[in-house]
Amino acid sequence: MVKIGVIAIQGDVSEHVQSISRAMDILGIEGSVITVKKVKDVENLNGVLIPGGESTTITRIMNKSGLTEKIRKMYAEESIAIMGTCAGCVILAKEVEGGEVRGLELMNMKVMRNAFGRQKESFETFVDVKGLEEPYPAVFIRAPIIEKVWDDCEVVAKLGDKIVGARQDTLLALSFHPELTGDHRIYKLFFDML
Ligand code: GLN
């Protein structure tokens, strides 16, 4: 029985809750998904999802509430799985360019915020993702680019020559929004890390 928490401060929270629950149904996984606002909400979770939204806002509140510290500790001690999409990708990175964001800083990667331009430059395209047989329909909304990865952090998705997905141990970071496409396959990659 797996239990996943979606950080519910700002951004695409309900979309992820619905998509995770739907993916569990499709894949026949017994589990539950909850929203996380406070430190007490993350107790007993196997996985944490950090949604897209505004990384500055999300980190400010996560840091203040103690969630950042608590999630770092759970990752270090219990190897929980963490998936971050778009703003969540920024929050997972050790190095961030394009604004002051001090998030979880767990993944050995450098991320450039808003690297594809403004909201109106949002787009959808197919991306090859390691572990998926067919290309994935990826939605980019003021998305970050992963400029480089190092040590045990591995590139798992690319758009042309740009890195848009990386994995390190039980951490998965994606520049795009799997909660908006109805394609559950990315969630399977997340569940497989639990
Ligand atoms: N530009 C946002 C940030 O860096 C991310 C955009 C998104 O999550 N859709 O916080």
Side-chain angles (χ1 to χ4, degrees), residues 148-186:
K148 62 171 182 174
V149 300
W150 60 91
D151 294 341
D152 54 342
C153 187
E154 180 199 7
V155 173
V156 295
K158 273 182 125 180
L159 179 60
D161 59 354
K162 298 182 172 72
I163 306 171
V164 293
R167 175 169 177 182
Q168 177 181 321
D169 184 27
T170 55
L171 308 170
L172 181 64
L174 304 166
S175 298
F176 49 90
H177 290 262
E179 77 284 9
L180 299 179
T181 47
D183 186 326
H184 69 282
R185 291 176 298 155
I186 290 286

Side-chain angles (χ1 to χ4, degrees), residues 117-172:
R118 304 171 66 85
Q119 190 95 11
K120 65 176 175 13
E121 266 101 45
S122 301
F123 61 99
E124 180 171 350
T125 189
F126 282 93
V127 167
D128 287 319
V129 179
K130 193 174 173 198
L132 301 185
E133 279 177 21
E134 302 290 332
Y136 191 86
V139 178
F140 293 84
I141 305 168
R142 289 193 308 127
I145 282 175
I146 300 168
E147 291 193 321
K148 62 171 182 174
V149 300
W150 60 91
D151 294 341
D152 54 342
C153 187
E154 180 199 7
V155 173
V156 295
K158 273 182 125 180
L159 179 60
D161 59 354
K162 298 182 172 72
I163 306 171
V164 293
R167 175 169 177 182
Q168 177 181 321
D169 184 27
T170 55
L171 308 170
L172 181 64

